[in-house]
Amino acid sequence: RSEGIFGLLRRAGMIYTEHIAKFLMLSAFFHLPMIVLTALLLTISILRVTEQLNDTAGGVLLTVVGLLLGLATAFGAYLIIGTITWIVSQSLAVPLRPIKLRSALREARSKWKRFLGTGILTTLLQLAFAIVTCGVGFLVTSVLWTLVGPVVMMENVKGWQAIKRSTLLVRRSLVTSIAAVFIMFIIPAT
């Protein structure tokens, strides 16, 4: 029998509190492209408002950089989730071994193409389902596909296979998965 959501949260809390500095450093590293693109969006907006950049060129640049930011965010999120999954699995397998970010980053680098392709695929499919179902499809796929990043990292599958595997794993413990996704949406909102 599984521990349920509270057992998972307790164990996750222990791992994160022990290694918070490494997790924050990893997250900051993967957020660098998003920080740069956000600064670029802000710069373009300022140039557009001060009329140093005409409206047409500013609009095109904002659209291009905005799309790049969306793709970088999806890619970065999958890299963060996958790399943290690898670190946590190593920590659970060998609890006394110190965590090395270099090993985790090496593993993520070897699978970056899988993360990129699968991340773009799931993001586009979620957006399509959200549009067609007026948002309900986004909520359903957020739960069913919540393990796509860990599946890509730990099981060496990509694309549609990773989506199907995530769905299969989530259905085994649907209530716990719904609770975990609910917590992920609620915590940033508070």
Side-chain angles (χ1 to χ4, degrees):
R1 177 148 168 79
S2 70
E3 313 178 52
I5 189 66
F6 296 110
L8 288 174
L9 285 173
R10 182 183 54 77
R11 289 179 73 184
M14 291 299 296
I15 292 170
Y16 287 126
T17 54
E18 290 173 8
H19 307 289
I20 190 73
K22 291 187 180 189
F23 288 121
L24 287 175
M25 199 172 352
L26 180 75
S27 183
F29 175 72
F30 283 129
H31 277 90
L32 286 176
M34 292 169 261
I35 292 168
V36 169
L37 288 171
T38 302
L40 189 59
L41 273 176
L42 184 62
T43 303
I44 293 168
S45 296
I46 290 171
L47 290 174
R48 193 172 171 200
V49 168
T50 59
E51 296 180 1
Q52 294 178 1
L53 191 64
N54 67 22
D55 281 344
T56 306
V60 169
L61 285 173
L62 284 174
T63 302
V64 170
V65 174
L67 288 172
L68 285 175
L69 179 61
L71 292 174
T73 302
F75 181 52
Y78 279 103
L79 280 174
I80 291 169
I81 291 168
T83 308
I84 288 176
T85 300
W86 189 87
I87 290 171
V88 169
S89 69
Q90 295 300 311
S91 175
L92 291 174
V94 189
L96 297 178
R97 182 188 299 165
I99 291 176
K100 306 237 187 216
L101 284 181
R102 190 171 301 227
S103 303
L105 291 172
R106 193 175 307 118
E107 190 69 24
R109 185 180 69 195
S110 71
K111 297 179 181 170
W112 75 269
K113 290 178 186 174
R114 292 174 185 260
F115 279 115
L116 181 64
T118 306
I120 290 172
L121 176 66
T122 55
T123 301
L124 293 177
L125 286 174
Q126 279 186 317
L127 288 173
F129 288 146
I131 291 169
V132 170
T133 62
C134 298
V136 175
F138 175 76
L139 296 174
V140 171
T141 56
S142 291
V143 172
L144 291 176
W145 299 348
T146 195
L147 296 177
V148 168
V151 165
V152 169
M153 178 60 97
M154 301 307 293
E155 297 186 9
N156 290 324
V157 295
K158 62 181 179 179
W160 193 246
Q161 291 174 334
I163 292 171
K164 289 196 310 191
R165 180 68 176 149
S166 173
T167 303
L168 179 71
L169 291 171
V170 165
R171 285 187 177 172
R172 288 183 182 174
S173 187
L174 189 60
V175 174
T176 302
S177 299
I178 290 170
V181 170
F182 179 73
I183 289 169
M184 286 190 305
F185 278 118
I186 291 300
I187 287 177
T190 57

